[in-house]
Amino acid sequence: MTAHILSAPEASLVHHEDHAEEHADNAVFGFWVYLMTDCILFACLFATYAVLRHNYAGGPTGKELFDLRYVFIETMALLLSSFANGFAMLSLYRRERATAVLWLIVTAALGLSFIGMEVNEFAHLISEGNGPNRSGFLSSFFGLVGTHGLHVSVGLIWMTVMMGQLIFKGITPAVTSRLQRLSLFWHFLDIIWIGVFTIIYLMGVL
């Protein structure tokens, strides 16, 4: 039985593949660490809201301010964007690049609609004198909802970059890995928003 001795190019290729796999594993681990720190951030914001949610300082309450039908439409836009992102990932695994890009565009359009509605809500509240400096309740509201909106905006920028990479680079292992992390991030934001909708809006109008 003879041992197979790798040539220099073969050895270099194996080393490159091992290094790429190790780098991908480190990137996934690092992203999970980031998500855990984000969980802590949002936990602190939720805790702050829980402490200040009845601190109205003579100002309006959530029941007076929130339009549950409007927020429900906003919520559905974000949840549907998560479904669209799931279809984009399925298309990616099937190596259907054009379909994956199309579903990412749908995801981004729904996410942009969500941000547009949120900005409109903030502008309406501020124009009526109910900005974050009005009361502790509104400070914590703007802080929590605004931080989530900032994350969604960053996700949209990331998604735009990834669409460009998918179009010009194709379905490579690196692009696939980045899109997997983006998908995880997007679903994470959906989970956070369900908490926001339930605790702030739904409980706020009851």
Side-chain angles (χ1 to χ4, degrees):
M1 185 175 181
T2 57
H4 176 67
I5 300 175
L6 296 176
S7 64
E10 288 175 329
S12 176
L13 179 61
V14 170
H15 175 74
H16 176 74
E17 289 176 349
D18 289 343
H19 179 73
E21 184 176 349
E22 181 182 357
H23 177 74
D25 290 341
N26 289 338
V28 171
F29 174 75
F31 191 72
W32 274 107
V33 171
Y34 159 72
L35 282 184
M36 293 304 101
T37 59
D38 238 15
C39 282
I40 295 171
L41 170 64
F42 279 107
C44 291
L45 291 170
F46 274 113
T48 302
Y49 178 79
V51 171
L52 298 176
R53 67 192 186 97
H54 294 306
N55 190 348
Y56 303 121
T61 65
K63 190 171 184 178
E64 296 171 291
L65 293 176
F66 301 147
D67 182 351
L68 203 56
R69 288 174 297 180
Y70 182 88
V71 181
F72 178 76
I73 295 171
E74 188 180 2
T75 300
M76 290 307 298
L78 190 62
L79 293 180
L80 287 173
S81 77
S82 192
F83 278 106
N85 182 259
F87 284 120
M89 294 307 296
L90 287 174
S91 300
L92 184 73
Y93 297 144
R94 293 170 183 162
R95 305 194 68 79
E96 299 171 353
R97 179 168 59 173
T99 308
V101 171
L102 178 61
W103 279 115
L104 285 175
I105 291 172
V106 173
T107 304
L110 288 166
L112 194 60
S113 299
F114 171 85
I115 288 297
M117 293 184 72
E118 189 170 281
V119 169
N120 181 64
E121 179 188 21
F122 281 6
H124 177 71
L125 290 172
I126 293 171
S127 68
E128 294 190 338
N130 297 315
N133 61 336
R134 180 65 182 84
S135 65
F137 158 67
L138 284 168
S139 293
S140 59
F141 164 77
F142 275 92
L144 176 53
V145 178
T147 300
H148 178 270
L150 179 62
H151 278 69
V152 174
S153 300
V154 170
L156 288 171
I157 295 171
W158 185 3
M159 196 172 298
T160 303
V161 172
M162 290 313 306
M163 281 190 278
Q165 291 193 7
L166 193 56
I167 292 169
F168 294 107
K169 293 185 177 181
I171 304 176
T172 65
V175 170
T176 300
S177 177
R178 291 167 193 150
L179 282 169
Q180 286 171 340
R181 295 196 292 276
L182 172 60
S183 180
L184 185 63
F185 177 72
W186 201 255
H187 293 312
F188 166 76
L189 294 180
D190 267 7
I191 294 171
I192 296 297
W193 181 255
I194 290 171
V196 170
F197 176 76
T198 303
I199 294 172
I200 293 184
Y201 292 103
L202 193 59
M203 293 178 64
V205 300
L206 296 178

